[in-house]
Amino acid sequence: MQPMKSTAASTDKTIAQLQSRIVDLETKVRFYEEQFNLLQHKRFGRSSEKPDTQAELFNEAESIIAGEECAHQDDTEADSAQITITYTRKKPGRKPLPKDLPGEQIRYELPKSEQVCGCGHALHEIGEDTSEQPYIIPAQIKVIEHIRVKYACRQCDNGIKTAQLSQPLLQRLIHYQLQQSIIRADETPVQVLNEPGRKAQSQSYMWLYQSGSSGVSPPVIIYDYQPGRSGLFAKNYLQDFKGQYLQTDGYSGYAQVCTPQSGIVSVGCRAHARRKFDEVIKALKGKNVKPGKAIHYALNQWTQLTCYIEDSHPEIDNNAAERRIKPFVIGRKNWLFSQTPNGAMASVTLYSLIETAKANKPEPFAYIRYILTELPRLGRHAEPEAFDDLLPWLCAEKIQALQ
């Protein structure tokens, strides 16, 4: 009897295994059918995920409440034959226009001859009806033709003369800047691709010099392109500087400017000194870092960092110059480089005029348009003083103000 029992048990086990496999196969078939249907729907069906009917998967609570409301409605239907529905309707009409829009008032009054009642008595004002209407002023396009008159001599052949746009206005700005008591300087790299005698990868520099402050003396911001960062470039620019202080970030190249012979005093920047200690504090987190570099910088710059205590002209930091060089840095991230030195010099002119205009309140675009209109009228032989009327702080009343 033992062999028969063993054979039956083995048969049952085999059947159970086959049934399990059949179940697994059926599960896989259903899975693949679902995947096939999904692919068919993605290929031929609607792309919208909105179902044809309201899904009933997650609304058990809503179904229960709806059922109770239906039952309650059936119970109370006999007691109440009428249901009152109330709602609030929005008042029709247009929202008022923003108060900060420029506008004008047009007042409509009856002529004096009509301010008489039919009974013969005079009419009196009893109120006003006011309505607002947006009025859009369309953009206008017109052509401005700039004509530069050409001149020539009938008696000789010395060539033709025309009214030229030149650099005397920028030179006049530099002249005023060098007369002020303190100049702040900074510099940033710039790449010029086609510069004679230099590789395209060579690094040039845009130097910035700022003087004056609003309310005390007219701010003047001048950019100066140079092929390097040598302090000699700053020395050449400031050779006619009549002031006393040069404020910088501590770059050693400016030592060629601040010498006993020049009499120019070097002023440091406490923001830079603080920044080095801030870097140390951040580096100390979780690390064994010694602040010897920050302390060394502060000690080496101590005389320059304390100048503002003895004189009110220097400021505590050089942030003003850094703010003025930032527009050029942001621009460089977009246009990356200058093609030629002439392109870099064009940037010098535009950035100097625009930033000086911004510092003295005229709107930059309006100022550039104004000087481009007025410069040719001065002629090529105008005296330097003739350009003073085009300086931003002297022609501000004639130009739209910067908002």
Side-chain angles (χ1 to χ4, degrees), residues 3 6 41 84 91 93-94 98 125 131 167 169 179 181 192 234 250 258 294 298 364 388 391:
S6 177
H41 177 77
T84 303
K91 185 178 180 181
R94 185 178 57 200
E125 293 186 15
S131 62
Q167 296 293 316
L169 178 59
Q179 307 304 312
S181 62
V192 178
C258 303
D388 288 357
L391 298 174

Side-chain angles (χ1 to χ4, degrees), residues 240-349:
D240 295 326
F241 179 40
K242 306 301 182 182
Q244 184 179 2
Y245 296 106
L246 175 64
Q247 187 163 26
T248 66
D249 57 7
Y251 169 51
S252 59
Y254 292 106
Q256 297 190 43
V257 179
C258 303
T259 63
Q261 292 76 17
S262 67
I264 300 174
V265 178
S266 175
V267 181
C269 174
R270 288 213 168 192
H272 279 77
R274 178 187 178 279
R275 193 174 304 157
K276 294 187 180 299
F277 283 97
D278 182 66
E279 292 171 356
V280 171
I281 294 173
K282 293 177 180 177
L284 282 174
K285 294 181 179 179
K287 298 180 181 179
N288 184 18
V289 179
K290 295 182 179 179
K293 184 177 180 181
I295 295 176
H296 181 72
Y297 178 90
L299 291 177
N300 279 350
Q301 290 281 309
W302 190 252
T303 302
Q304 292 90 325
L305 294 173
T306 55
C307 282
Y308 74 97
I309 298 176
E310 300 177 0
D311 194 328
S312 61
H313 288 90
E315 296 186 3
I316 194 172
D317 55 50
N318 198 38
N319 288 346
E322 291 194 358
R323 285 194 297 270
R324 292 301 177 184
I325 207 170
K326 189 174 181 179
F328 181 84
V329 175
I330 295 174
R332 184 186 59 203
K333 291 181 179 179
N334 294 296
W335 43 257
L336 301 179
F337 51 80
S338 293
Q339 187 71 20
T340 64
N342 287 338
M345 293 305 299
S347 296
V348 165
T349 302

Side-chain angles (χ1 to χ4, degrees), residues 200-218:
Q201 296 79 9
S202 301
Q203 188 152 275
S204 301
Y205 276 82
M206 187 67 75
W207 297 69
L208 176 132
Y209 302 95
Q210 175 179 351
S211 66
S213 58
S214 181
V216 179
S217 54

Side-chain angles (χ1 to χ4, degrees), residues 55-296:
E56 301 292 338
L57 297 177
F58 306 104
N59 67 340
E60 293 86 353
E62 288 83 352
S63 300
I64 294 173
I65 294 174
E68 291 177 352
E69 289 179 348
C70 289
H72 179 70
Q73 182 177 356
D74 292 339
D75 295 338
T76 58
E77 199 168 28
D79 298 334
S80 177
Q82 185 178 1
I83 298 176
T84 303
I85 300 176
T86 60
Y87 60 92
T88 303
R89 175 177 294 174
K90 291 184 178 179
K91 185 178 180 181
R94 185 178 57 200
K95 293 182 178 179
L97 297 173
K99 297 298 183 183
D100 56 345
L101 290 177
E104 61 177 294
Q105 290 184 339
I106 302 177
R107 188 177 178 87
Y108 301 93
E109 298 180 344
L110 287 174
K112 292 291 184 180
S113 60
E114 296 183 18
Q115 296 183 18
V116 180
C117 182
C119 68
H121 293 83
L123 296 178
H124 299 277
E125 293 186 15
I126 60 172
E128 296 176 344
D129 288 330
T130 303
S131 62
E132 293 180 329
Q133 174 191 9
Y135 184 79
I136 300 175
I137 302 175
Q140 296 180 350
I141 300 177
K142 64 179 180 179
V143 177
I144 300 177
E145 187 176 5
H146 295 274
I147 302 173
R148 291 192 295 167
V149 181
K150 300 166 65 175
Y151 302 89
C153 179
R154 296 182 182 274
Q155 305 300 324
C156 64
D157 191 19
N158 287 335
I160 299 174
K161 294 183 179 180
T162 58
Q164 299 287 340
L165 299 177
S166 57
Q167 296 293 316
L169 178 59
L170 185 63
Q171 295 301 321
R172 199 62 182 163
L173 282 173
I174 295 174
H175 170 77
Y176 272 89
Q177 183 186 68
L178 297 178
Q179 307 304 312
Q180 298 186 12
S181 62
I182 180 171
I183 288 181
R184 303 168 187 87
D186 200 2
E187 70 287 333
T188 188
V190 62
Q191 186 179 8
V192 178
L193 297 184
N194 299 327
E195 193 164 14
R198 305 185 73 199
K199 296 181 179 179
Q201 296 79 9
S202 301
Q203 188 152 275
S204 301
Y205 276 82
M206 187 67 75
W207 297 69
L208 176 132
Y209 302 95
Q210 175 179 351
S211 66
S213 58
S214 181
V216 179
S217 54
V220 180
I221 296 92
I222 301 295
Y223 291 76
D224 183 41
Y225 168 74
Q226 296 294 344
R229 201 188 180 196
S230 169
L232 183 63
F233 298 123
K235 181 180 179 180
N236 291 337
Y237 180 87
L238 297 170
Q239 61 183 346
D240 295 326
F241 179 40
K242 306 301 182 182
Q244 184 179 2
Y245 296 106
L246 175 64
Q247 187 163 26
T248 66
D249 57 7
Y251 169 51
S252 59
Y254 292 106
Q256 297 190 43
V257 179
C258 303
T259 63
Q261 292 76 17
S262 67
I264 300 174
V265 178
S266 175
V267 181
C269 174
R270 288 213 168 192
H272 279 77
R274 178 187 178 279
R275 193 174 304 157
K276 294 187 180 299
F277 283 97
D278 182 66
E279 292 171 356
V280 171
I281 294 173
K282 293 177 180 177
L284 282 174
K285 294 181 179 179
K287 298 180 181 179
N288 184 18
V289 179
K290 295 182 179 179
K293 184 177 180 181
I295 295 176
H296 181 72

